[in-house]
Amino acid sequence: MGFVNPTKPRGVIQGVPDKAADSVPDFWEDTVPASFRMYNWIGAMSSNNSPSETAFDPGFDPIPLIPEEHAMDENLASRYALANSPGEVVQISNQINRELADRKLISDSGAMGYLATALAGGLDPISFIPVGGALYKTFRTGGSILKSALVTGAAGGLAVSAQEALLMHEQQTRTFGEASADVTGAVFLSAILGGGARAFSSAVSRSSLKSLEAGIVRDMEIDAPNSGGGSIGARSEEHTSELQSH
């Protein structure tokens, strides 16, 4: 499962790979690598073939060399602004085509595409930023549901913001709008999880657990067979004495 095309020529603009119209992307060979290239910082960094930053050459005009399909998109066309040579234009074009192909492949994968992107994002090193510590402190100090939601929402938003910043640095097709939507979604999801956890913790309080424990103990008690409440051992002794008297 590779992230980079090792035999890609530097001087030829590669188009988006074509698949048969009725073909289904293979999950492990196609969808997962594409998801790691697009939604995992390590995968994005290892597959980034954009030119490295060099001194700007004001005498070079990249506009005539931009592929027509990229020139019609303002966001894609702006990626060529700092190109300093025809070779760098080719590198940017190939990187854009690779990312567009990955996005299409993930979309064509349907539900498996969502699963692969969740896997790639979950294994991103940034996703391991500890959020639970802040939530635990809020629980320990008796914080409200709202406070728990704010704490976890802020922590989740911070982690995804860092992830999006790194991905934008490595990718040509990721936009500020896409990054903002991902951060907003992470904030809301984290807040819901944090507030829900706090609400559950409040509902299942210590006193509630003790009441539940007492009820279970009562239900498990074995009542004595006599209505007077005597124990089984006492009834046995009384029965033995009656037999001896006879």
Side-chain angles (χ1 to χ4, degrees), residues 20-49:
D22 58 347
S23 66
V24 178
D26 182 84
F27 181 72
W28 292 110
E29 293 184 5
D30 300 323
T31 310
V32 170
S35 298
F36 269 83
R37 287 191 292 265
M38 294 305 301
Y39 295 97
N40 183 285
W41 171 52
I42 299 299
M45 181 174 59
S46 63
S47 63
N48 184 8
N49 290 299

Side-chain angles (χ1 to χ4, degrees), residues 41-109:
W41 171 52
I42 299 299
M45 181 174 59
S46 63
S47 63
N48 184 8
N49 290 299
S50 299
S52 57
E53 296 181 3
T54 57
F56 178 65
D57 181 7
F60 176 72
D61 183 11
I63 295 179
L65 302 177
I66 299 176
E68 183 179 355
E69 64 272 20
H70 298 172
M72 292 186 298
D73 187 308
E74 182 179 354
N75 177 64
L76 297 182
S78 66
R79 304 297 182 175
Y80 294 88
L82 298 180
N84 290 321
S85 68
E88 291 188 359
V89 171
V90 170
Q91 285 181 266
I92 295 172
S93 297
N94 287 338
Q95 179 67 23
I96 290 175
N97 287 339
R98 176 73 267 173
E99 292 177 19
L100 293 176
D102 286 339
R103 289 178 181 275
K104 184 177 185 304
L105 191 151
I106 294 170
S107 177
D108 291 344
S109 299

Side-chain angles (χ1 to χ4, degrees), residues 18 70 91 105 107 113 119 136 146 148 160 165 189 200 203 211 214-215 225 233:
D18 292 327
H70 298 172
Q91 285 181 266
L105 191 151
S107 177
L119 175 65
Y136 171 73
L146 177 59
S148 299
V160 175
L189 179 59
F200 178 79
S211 299

Side-chain angles (χ1 to χ4, degrees), residues 34-48 50 79 95 99 103 117 120-122 124-126 159-176 178-179 182-183:
S35 298
F36 269 83
R37 287 191 292 265
M38 294 305 301
Y39 295 97
N40 183 285
W41 171 52
I42 299 299
M45 181 174 59
S46 63
S47 63
N48 184 8
S50 299
R79 304 297 182 175
Q95 179 67 23
E99 292 177 19
R103 289 178 181 275
T117 56
D124 192 297
I126 302 299
V160 175
S161 295
Q163 183 184 42
E164 288 296 325
L166 292 172
L167 289 176
M168 288 192 67
H169 181 267
E170 301 295 338
Q171 297 175 357
Q172 298 288 350
T173 59
R174 187 170 292 270
T175 64
F176 284 104
E178 180 181 1
D182 289 344
V183 172

